[in-house]
């Protein structure tokens, strides 16, 4: 193995560990610097690799970089313009501190994207990125079980989420399941029987943590994801010249396992709710005993009764889940009514969608979130929960148009990639759909601050480049 191959392998290891760290850390409810440390190590190795590659063969490296750019030229241009305008809006922000708070994460995620693209172009090992995300979900699930069952006071009694934001937690798990599915269905070289056994184990470990996270948006979206996956595999067999009935049978077998384990998990919800209630009652009894003995135990919100997942899921059918979201959007729309022509074009500066809620006097919104003199709102406590509204508020029509153009460009390149290689359809469509939906209804600081968006961009760009090389060699 040559020196260049050794350092590229080292970059691959550091990159995969960084992805695991940066995605996995989102499941923590406490601050951690593990992901920052891994990122700095990975970034150092990445820079080191680029410098040595240039010294060894500058012409080849520049040709490779040119090839990277040419493979998805329009996408890279739109992405760069969107990022540049995002930075420009800081120059006229209303709150500099809120604006710059996103940059540590944005730099981290953009760095992962750049390193992933460079690594995939050198080695063609897109599969390493896929394995990293798949492993992250399973590792988080295993950690969740240990924490929930061994801890006297977990984050939630009625949920398995180890993060306060259980929607983000559920996203980590579902991304892990999806990428594990893609790897075992399309990339793993083991026999069908061995792959099925591994996949069943993955679903058994991850499906309970996903379902018992209690994420309503995931409960709504998952049936559509499954329906797409089934239809895609059937259509792929019909239009593909190489796919066989055996491939269709195998892939549908994988998808059937998900459904079976999902329904087994959902049917065990009463058992989990009963166990959670007993665990909560035991904790409260211990807390009362400690306090009666004069022992000062910090309570914060520990004694607040939690809703069961059944009660949470009922809010989907009665539409009450949308009440707070409608209040959030109404404040944003009312704010836009006061924009002048210049503000409509350029916006009111970076992070205005957060600053707006820090200063709003909307009584209905404040009451819905129990904000009053005794419970003041923390800085940056709420965002507009929609990337298009955020872009319009912050960067005006310029940023909104760039953001929508970026989404449209990604979709166009996805279609081109799938047309050439049908098997990667599930790997692109379902994760990107999840990313876009999450950014349309949640998230602060926009898509560039979303690690899942950056990872999916890297996967897409890697697939595009590999497809281009294969076409050139035909």
């Amino acid at each position: 193995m040559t020196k260049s191959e050794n350092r590229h392998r080292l970059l691959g290891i550091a990159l995969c560990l960084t992805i695991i760290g940066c995605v996995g850390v989102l499941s923590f409810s406490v601050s951690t610097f593990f992901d920052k440390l891994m990122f700095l190590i990975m970034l150092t190795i990445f820079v080191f690799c680029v410098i040595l590659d240039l010294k060894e063969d500058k012409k080849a490296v520049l040709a490779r970089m040119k090839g990277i750019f040419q493979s998805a030229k329009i996408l890279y241009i739109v992405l760069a313009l969107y990022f540049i305008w995002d930075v420009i809006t800081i120059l006229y922000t209303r709150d500099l501190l809120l604006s710059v708070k996103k940059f540590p994460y944005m730099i981290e995620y953009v760095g992962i994207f750049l390193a992933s693209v460079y690594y995939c172009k050198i080695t063609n090992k897109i599969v390493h990125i896929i394995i990293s995300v798949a492993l992250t979900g399973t590792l988080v699930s295993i950690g969740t079980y240990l924490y929930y069952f061994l801890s006297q006071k977990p984050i939630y009694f009625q949920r398995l989420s180890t993060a306060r934001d259980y929607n983000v937690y559920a996203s980590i798990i579902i991304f892990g399941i999806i990428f594990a599915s893609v790897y075992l269905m399309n990339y793993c070289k083991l026999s069908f029987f061995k792959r099925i056994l591994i996949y069943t184990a993955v679903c058994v470990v991850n499906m309970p943590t996903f379902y018992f996270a209690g994420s309503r948006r995931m409960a709504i979206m998952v049936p559509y994801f499954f329906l797409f996956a089934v239809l895609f595999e059937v259509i792929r067999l019909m239009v593909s010249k190489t796919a066989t009935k055996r491939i269709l049978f195998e892939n549908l077998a994988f998808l059937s396992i998900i459904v079976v384990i999902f329904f087994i998990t959902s049917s065990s919800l009463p058992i989990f709710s009963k166990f959670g209630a007993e665990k909560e009652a035991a904790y409260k009894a211990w807390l009362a005993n400690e306090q009666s003995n004069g022992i000062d135990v910090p309570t914060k919100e520990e004694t607040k009764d939690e809703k069961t997942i059944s009660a949470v899921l009922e809010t989907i059918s009665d539409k009450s889940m949308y009440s707070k979201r409608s209040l959030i959007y109404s404040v944003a729309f009312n704010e836009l009514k006061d924009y002048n022509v210049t503000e409509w074009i350029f916006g009111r500066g970076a992070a205005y969608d957060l600053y707006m809620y820090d200063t709003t006097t909307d009584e209905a919104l404040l009451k819905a979130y129990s904000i009053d003199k005794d419970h003041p709102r923390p800085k940056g406590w709420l965002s507009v929960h929609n990337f298009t509204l955020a872009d319009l508020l912050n960067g005006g029509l310029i940023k909104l148009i760039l953001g929508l153009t970026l989404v449209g460009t990604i979709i166009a390149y996805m279609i081109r990639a799938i047309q050439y290689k049908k098997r990667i359809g599930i790997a692109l469509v379902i994760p990107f759909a999840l990313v876009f939906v999450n950014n349309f209804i949640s998230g602060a600081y926009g898509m560039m601050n979303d690690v899942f968006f950056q990872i999916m961009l890297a996967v897409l760009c890697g697939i595009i480049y590999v497809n281009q090389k294969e076409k050139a060699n035909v």
Side-chain angles (χ1 to χ4, degrees), residues 374-421:
D374 297 325
H375 302 89
R377 48 191 160 188
K379 193 177 183 65
W381 68 290
L382 189 62
S383 69
V384 75
H385 283 71
N386 182 294
F387 101 90
T388 56
L389 275 176
D391 283 354
L392 185 58
L393 288 162
N394 301 340
L397 288 169
I398 294 175
K399 189 174 182 184
L400 175 62
I401 292 170
L402 286 172
L404 293 176
T405 302
L406 177 59
V407 172
T409 305
I410 289 171
I411 293 172
Y413 274 100
M414 280 170 53
I415 293 172
R416 285 177 54 183
I418 294 170
Q419 285 176 336
Y420 181 77
K421 189 173 292 183

Side-chain angles (χ1 to χ4, degrees), residues 279-335:
K279 190 175 181 70
E280 185 175 13
Y283 171 75
K284 287 182 177 180
W286 170 84
L287 184 63
N289 182 63
E290 293 293 290
Q291 291 174 340
S292 66
N293 291 328
I295 300 174
D296 185 22
V297 180
T299 57
K300 294 183 181 179
E301 296 185 2
E302 281 91 336
T303 56
K304 184 178 178 180
D305 291 332
E306 296 180 20
K307 288 183 178 180
T308 63
I309 292 175
S310 297
V312 171
L313 295 180
E314 284 175 5
T315 62
I316 297 175
S317 56
D318 65 22
K319 308 299 182 183
S320 61
M321 67 175 287
Y322 304 107
S323 58
K324 285 186 178 179
R325 200 60 55 89
S326 62
L327 291 172
I328 292 171
Y329 292 157
S330 67
V331 172
F333 287 126
N334 288 333
E335 197 75 17

Side-chain angles (χ1 to χ4, degrees), residues 178-469:
I178 293 168
F179 275 65
S181 304
V182 170
Y183 172 70
L184 290 168
M185 287 166 64
N186 297 309
Y187 291 96
C188 185
K189 303 300 183 183
L190 295 174
S191 68
F192 172 68
F193 180 71
K194 290 180 180 178
R195 285 185 290 134
I196 280 289
L197 286 179
I198 294 171
Y199 189 64
T200 302
V202 169
C203 290
V204 167
V205 170
N206 288 286
M207 196 57 72
T209 55
F210 167 73
Y211 186 81
F212 294 144
S215 172
R216 291 172 293 195
R217 75 178 63 158
M218 292 300 168
I220 294 171
M221 289 189 288
V222 162
Y224 295 102
F225 291 162
F226 174 75
L227 180 62
F228 167 80
V230 172
L231 290 176
F232 181 85
E233 290 300 324
V234 173
I235 293 172
R236 181 161 80 98
L237 177 70
M238 295 171 60
V239 302
S240 176
K241 296 178 181 179
T242 57
T244 63
K245 289 184 179 180
R246 180 184 62 81
I247 294 174
L248 177 65
F249 168 77
E250 289 184 0
N251 288 353
L252 290 180
F254 280 103
L255 298 172
S256 299
I257 287 173
I258 290 183
V259 176
V260 171
I261 296 177
F262 179 83
F263 280 108
I264 291 174
T265 301
S266 60
S267 65
S268 63
L269 178 58
I271 299 173
F272 174 75
S273 297
K274 182 180 178 182
F275 179 85
E278 292 173 351
K279 190 175 181 70
E280 185 175 13
Y283 171 75
K284 287 182 177 180
W286 170 84
L287 184 63
N289 182 63
E290 293 293 290
Q291 291 174 340
S292 66
N293 291 328
I295 300 174
D296 185 22
V297 180
T299 57
K300 294 183 181 179
E301 296 185 2
E302 281 91 336
T303 56
K304 184 178 178 180
D305 291 332
E306 296 180 20
K307 288 183 178 180
T308 63
I309 292 175
S310 297
V312 171
L313 295 180
E314 284 175 5
T315 62
I316 297 175
S317 56
D318 65 22
K319 308 299 182 183
S320 61
M321 67 175 287
Y322 304 107
S323 58
K324 285 186 178 179
R325 200 60 55 89
S326 62
L327 291 172
I328 292 171
Y329 292 157
S330 67
V331 172
F333 287 126
N334 288 333
E335 197 75 17
L336 287 169
K337 290 177 183 178
D338 294 331
Y339 273 40
N340 57 39
V341 175
T342 303
E343 289 171 336
W344 269 99
I345 296 173
F346 298 101
R348 290 185 175 175
Y352 187 78
D353 64 313
L354 279 74
Y355 173 81
M356 175 179 65
Y357 295 107
D358 283 354
T359 57
T360 185
T361 57
D362 188 282
E363 293 183 3
L365 178 70
L366 298 178
K367 183 178 180 181
Y369 282 93
S370 303
I371 301 296
D372 53 35
K373 292 181 180 179
D374 297 325
H375 302 89
R377 48 191 160 188
K379 193 177 183 65
W381 68 290
L382 189 62
S383 69
V384 75
H385 283 71
N386 182 294
F387 101 90
T388 56
L389 275 176
D391 283 354
L392 185 58
L393 288 162
N394 301 340
L397 288 169
I398 294 175
K399 189 174 182 184
L400 175 62
I401 292 170
L402 286 172
L404 293 176
T405 302
L406 177 59
V407 172
T409 305
I410 289 171
I411 293 172
Y413 274 100
M414 280 170 53
I415 293 172
R416 285 177 54 183
I418 294 170
Q419 285 176 336
Y420 181 77
K421 189 173 292 183
K422 307 292 189 300
R423 70 176 185 174
I424 49 86
I426 293 176
L428 291 179
V429 175
I430 295 179
F432 261 122
L434 183 56
V435 166
F436 290 147
V437 168
N438 279 337
N439 277 278
F440 271 110
I441 63 175
S442 187
Y445 293 121
M447 291 189 295
M448 297 300 292
N449 211 54
D450 182 352
V451 66
F452 298 113
F453 175 73
Q454 300 289 356
I455 288 172
M456 286 312 304
L457 263 184
V459 171
L460 174 61
C461 292
I463 289 172
I464 291 169
Y465 184 71
V466 171
N467 287 354
Q468 188 183 66
K469 285 182 67 177

Side-chain angles (χ1 to χ4, degrees), residues 98-128:
L98 277 178
S99 300
V100 299
K101 277 180 68 176
K102 70 178 179 179
F103 275 94
Y105 288 103
M106 183 182 287
I107 291 170
E108 191 174 337
Y109 299 158
V110 171
I112 289 173
F113 166 69
L114 294 174
S116 297
V117 170
Y118 188 81
Y119 176 72
C120 289
K121 301 315 186 269
I122 294 172
T123 64
N124 290 341
K125 297 295 185 182
I126 302 168
V127 67
H128 291 170

